Amino acid sequence: PEFFDAIEKEHTNIPVIKGERPALWLYIHGPTHHKAITASREADILLTMAEKFATVNALVAGSFNKYPYQQLNKAWEAKIFPDHGWGGKNGQITDELFKEKYKFARNEARSVLDLALNQLASHIQTQTEKGIAVVVFNSLNWIRSDYITVDIQHLNLELPIVTDENGK
């Protein structure tokens, strides 16, 4: 706390860094590992989201009996499995194994996250007479301005109208 108080008193401008993590291993994970590294990056994001929303879901349910700790543990183990060895002797075998581990971690995280979000959303009361409700969850602890994508093709709407909870 003392450190942050001192910074506030000095009105120090600390630069803000935004965007992707730097590609520290670019010399090894260039275009040839695009699919593996993309799955890894997606798993990084989805695993933390899955843990957060699975925890919130357990808290809302009042019990951690159905918390998917084994599924999450296996996903995290797969996520951290790839290490040094990319492209080494018989590298195509190692690289494929590493890619599959990342994909497994990503897919397990997506599965846990989807289940938790669907269960949480089922607790939200909506007014069906006003239309189809779309619930948006924010996994971060700050306000976001990201775009939200919703597939409405299957709804056969002539002219969709989007409003917030206040009708605006």
Side-chain angles (χ1 to χ4, degrees), residues 41-142:
R41 192 176 299 119
E42 291 169 349
D44 289 338
I45 295 165
L46 290 170
L47 277 166
T48 55
M49 288 174 63
E51 282 191 336
K52 287 176 187 179
F53 286 114
T55 300
V56 171
N57 194 39
L59 291 169
V60 168
S63 170
F64 278 82
N65 288 340
K66 294 183 180 178
Y67 186 81
Y69 70 93
Q70 289 180 325
Q71 193 175 2
L72 286 168
N73 282 346
K74 287 180 180 180
W76 275 113
E77 286 174 12
K79 173 60 182 92
I80 64 173
F81 179 87
D83 196 1
H84 295 287
W86 289 89
K89 183 177 179 187
N90 297 319
Q92 70 280 11
I93 297 168
T94 305
D95 292 359
E96 185 65 22
L97 173 64
F98 287 177
K99 180 178 76 173
E100 291 306 311
K101 291 286 187 178
Y102 284 147
K103 286 169 61 177
F104 173 81
R106 179 199 59 204
N107 294 343
E108 287 296 289
R110 200 175 274 151
S111 172
V112 169
L113 180 61
D114 286 349
L115 178 63
L117 291 178
N118 282 316
Q119 288 176 342
L120 285 169
S122 72
H123 293 287
I124 299 171
Q125 294 179 355
T126 60
Q127 298 172 345
T128 55
E129 66 276 2
K130 289 188 173 183
I132 299 166
V134 175
V135 179
V136 179
F137 292 97
N138 181 2
S139 64
L140 302 176
N141 61 346
W142 57 82

Side-chain angles (χ1 to χ4, degrees), residues 16-36:
V16 176
I17 300 170
K18 293 183 177 181
E20 286 285 343
R21 297 176 296 147
L24 301 175
W25 296 93
L26 189 58
Y27 72 96
I28 239 174
H29 302 304
T32 59
H33 294 119
H34 167 68
K35 290 179 183 175

